[in-house]
Amino acid sequence: MVFRLLPGMQLGVSSAPAQIEGGDVDHNWNHWYRLGKIKDGSSPGRANRHLELWREDIDLMHSMGIRHYRLGIEWARLEPEEGSWDKEAVRYYRKLLKYMKKRGIEPLLTLHHFTNPMWFESQGGFADEQNISAFLRYVSFAVRAFGDLVAEYITVNEPNVYATLGYYDGGFPPGEDSVMLASKVMSVMAACHIRSYRMIHRLRRKMGYHDTKVGYAHHARVFAPADRKNPLHTSFAKISRWMFQGALAKACLTGYFRPPLRNIIDITPGEYADFLALNYYTRSTVSRLGDGTAPDVAKNDLGWEIYPSGIIQCARELYAILDRPIYITENGTCDNQDDFRCRYIYEHLKALCEEELPVERYYHWCFCDNFEWLEGESARFGIVHIDYETQQRTIKKSGRFYSEVIAQGGVTEMLYQEYVAGEAYHL
Ligand code: BGC
């Protein structure tokens, strides 16, 4: 064996509803597409047509030995108009969740993954604390509708990415460019997470269940100074880390809001996660506030550095705030030709398995290639290839590798030779 998975560690795959379902739902990303913002002109209205092909996708997952699936439900589909709930959408998700159970696949359910119903967006979305109640009403509805089928929940996905790209960088909807607004959105989303955490536990307890687990998906990266000897670079790396992920993790996990975040609705300090959900992709090398990539490092097809040991650094950062089991809820890479994904998976898993951290789950991002937000269909992250024209699914080499790792409980010398040894990253 080159390495064994940690005792009890389970491997799964991850997705988000707007990235796979397709259909003309009235949410902010279909709106963004209509404004011509998607780089390759593709639309979330097509994506993987998972809404029709879900059974095939679950069967494929099952055939690959995958038994853990992080998936999301689409708020805009469930509550297309404020206060009115779509029974057909409820039926759809119940059918999907029941079918997963039948196939022995356990759900980890994301309630919010970047998409808002347009009625919510036009009321100011998460930039206005008055709207927290609308989000909580949706969470309560979702738990009552699916709580008998789902024990584990992610409240919100990556508040920092959502807030930074939508309210500071402006590339994501609604396209704002204010650092103040971005911090406010993070504060409001942290409050939403904490209130949902309590509510989900309360509702499921009332339903007679005592196995509920709730977390929020935290996007973290390593921030490294471009020049380690330059005190300015070192400070920028430190400040960027705090502004982007540190303050948010502290607020969401413990209810302590430190600047630039604010405790807008009087949250009491506490412990607000049953597992630490970490989404990890890359390292940023900085010489100013923000983002950057060092020259001459291994990069994926979007230019993101591949830095496997960073997954440990980021997991440790979270674990130092609250010691809970760790779920890697996203880790993956844009590799359009599937040239180096086996190596990427191998190196990240190996890093995790050589540490003493309590990593219980690893969900690869993602199962099938899907609608990659601003990049549209042009950036492929899947272990299953999608031909968007025909909607044909084909397991990639990395998919076969992943399946083998699950079956064998780690990476054997033979697997290493067959899948990993011949792969090299691009510089
Ligand atoms: C998001 C995913 C996205 C992935 C790759 C994460 O930040 O949660 O929705 O597809 O990164 O960009």
Side-chain angles (χ1 to χ4, degrees):
M1 249 343 188
V2 182
F3 69 86
R4 257 180 227 293
L5 297 180
L6 297 167
M9 180 180 180
Q10 308 282 341
L11 305 192
V13 286
S14 201
S15 74
Q19 293 182 269
I20 61 172
E21 287 180 350
D24 192 20
V25 195
D26 199 16
H27 60 51
N28 51 341
W29 275 89
N30 266 320
H31 177 71
W32 211 232
Y33 157 73
R34 284 193 291 272
L35 294 179
K37 303 281 192 181
I38 313 302
K39 289 185 192 163
D40 65 355
S42 58
S43 153
R46 173 159 84 169
N48 299 7
R49 287 186 29 212
H50 177 76
L51 203 62
E52 299 141 65
L53 301 173
W54 56 273
R55 211 180 281 268
E56 185 184 320
D57 287 338
I58 299 302
D59 286 344
L60 187 60
M61 222 175 258
H62 179 265
S63 76
M64 293 168 73
I66 294 164
R67 296 294 179 267
H68 290 271
Y69 180 31
R70 174 189 170 210
L71 74 163
I73 49 177
E74 186 64 75
W75 181 7
R77 202 180 281 293
L78 287 159
E79 192 181 5
E81 282 164 44
E82 185 169 7
S84 88
W85 305 95
D86 186 325
K87 291 202 183 78
E88 197 41 54
V90 174
R91 266 199 294 277
Y92 160 69
Y93 288 119
R94 287 194 62 86
K95 263 195 306 201
L96 168 62
L97 289 163
K98 280 189 182 163
Y99 193 65
M100 284 172 56
K101 290 248 158 179
K102 200 168 140 197
R103 294 308 233 157
I105 300 174
E106 282 303 316
L108 169 60
L109 195 71
T110 310
L111 301 173
H112 186 272
H113 195 130
F114 293 173
T115 36
N116 298 325
M118 278 314 285
W119 60 261
F120 180 78
E121 187 87 342
S122 31
Q123 289 169 15
F126 293 99
D128 186 345
E129 63 271 29
Q130 303 293 329
N131 296 333
I132 294 177
S133 56
F135 181 73
L136 293 177
R137 190 182 54 208
Y138 156 65
V139 173
S140 150
F141 177 83
V143 177
R144 283 180 285 115
F146 310 116
D148 57 328
L149 300 171
V150 180
E152 300 192 342
Y153 298 82
I154 300 272
T155 53
V156 285
N157 181 68
E158 303 186 342
N160 53 349
V161 172
Y162 173 89
T164 311
L165 295 183
Y167 290 85
Y168 174 54
D169 163 275
F172 274 23
E176 301 287 347
D177 62 355
S178 144
V179 83
M180 300 278 285
L181 259 183
S183 303
K184 167 125 194 241
V185 168
M186 280 197 245
S187 303
V188 170
M189 287 183 106
C192 283
H193 159 69
I194 291 173
R195 285 279 154 87
S196 307
Y197 175 88
R198 292 196 193 132
M199 178 194 276
I200 298 169
H201 274 286
R202 200 173 53 242
L203 287 174
R204 277 197 95 247
R205 232 179 356 252
K206 262 200 351 271
M207 293 165 89
Y209 299 105
H210 300 281
D211 55 351
T212 310
K213 289 187 186 158
V214 184
Y216 81 101
H218 181 71
H219 178 108
R221 49 184 65 181
V222 172
F223 284 90
D227 174 358
R228 278 177 197 286
K229 294 198 193 105
N230 183 327
L232 220 57
H233 292 191
T234 318
S235 310
F236 283 144
K238 224 167 150 182
I239 299 169
S240 300
R241 185 187 317 122
W242 175 255
M243 302 268 291
F244 183 65
Q245 65 202 36
L248 179 72
K250 181 109 189 145
C252 287
L253 297 175
T254 68
Y256 282 104
F257 289 73
R258 299 277 181 261
L261 302 193
R262 279 187 304 129
N263 190 352
I264 300 174
I265 57 160
D266 276 336
I267 297 280
T268 29
E271 297 186 348
Y272 296 118
D274 305 305
F275 53 88
L276 303 170
L278 171 64
N279 294 357
Y280 173 79
Y281 289 88
T282 191
R283 167 167 79 167
S284 285
T285 300
V286 300
S287 52
R288 55 180 178 89
L289 276 190
D291 222 356
T293 311
D296 308 330
V297 292
K299 296 188 189 74
N300 75 6
D301 291 352
L302 291 174
W304 305 357
E305 181 178 353
I306 298 173
Y307 187 66
S309 64
I311 200 168
I312 302 299
Q313 240 169 289
C314 293
R316 282 201 187 290
E317 264 173 35
L318 279 186
Y319 196 65
I321 301 176
L322 193 64
D323 62 341
R324 290 288 185 274
I326 296 167
Y327 291 9
I328 304 299
T329 37
E330 287 183 30
N331 174 240
T333 197
C334 176
D335 172 11
N336 290 325
Q337 305 304 324
D338 204 43
D339 275 345
F340 52 83
R341 186 173 284 103
C342 293
R343 176 166 290 281
Y344 183 99
I345 294 172
Y346 165 81
E347 289 183 356
H348 286 79
L349 282 180
K350 185 161 183 283
L352 291 168
C353 293
E354 287 175 351
E355 287 295 316
E356 301 271 299
L357 287 164
V359 181
E360 293 189 357
R361 305 266 177 83
Y362 170 94
Y363 294 87
H364 191 72
W365 182 273
C366 47
F367 183 51
C368 293
D369 295 331
N370 62 31
F371 177 80
E372 177 50 36
W373 309 115
L374 280 188
E375 310 293 331
E377 293 170 358
S378 68
R380 295 179 181 272
F381 279 75
I383 54 173
V384 172
H385 179 271
I386 294 269
D387 178 330
Y388 286 100
E389 292 300 325
T390 64
Q391 290 293 327
Q392 173 77 34
R393 276 84 166 131
T394 311
I395 301 174
K396 299 181 189 179
K397 176 185 164 202
S398 55
R400 294 199 301 277
F401 174 61
Y402 199 58
S403 202
E404 287 283 355
V405 178
I406 294 174
Q408 314 227 8
V411 177
T412 59
E413 191 55 46
M414 250 169 71
L415 279 186
Y416 178 82
Q417 288 307 330
E418 184 177 346
Y419 290 98
V420 184
E423 291 197 348
Y425 298 129
H426 307 161
L427 283 184

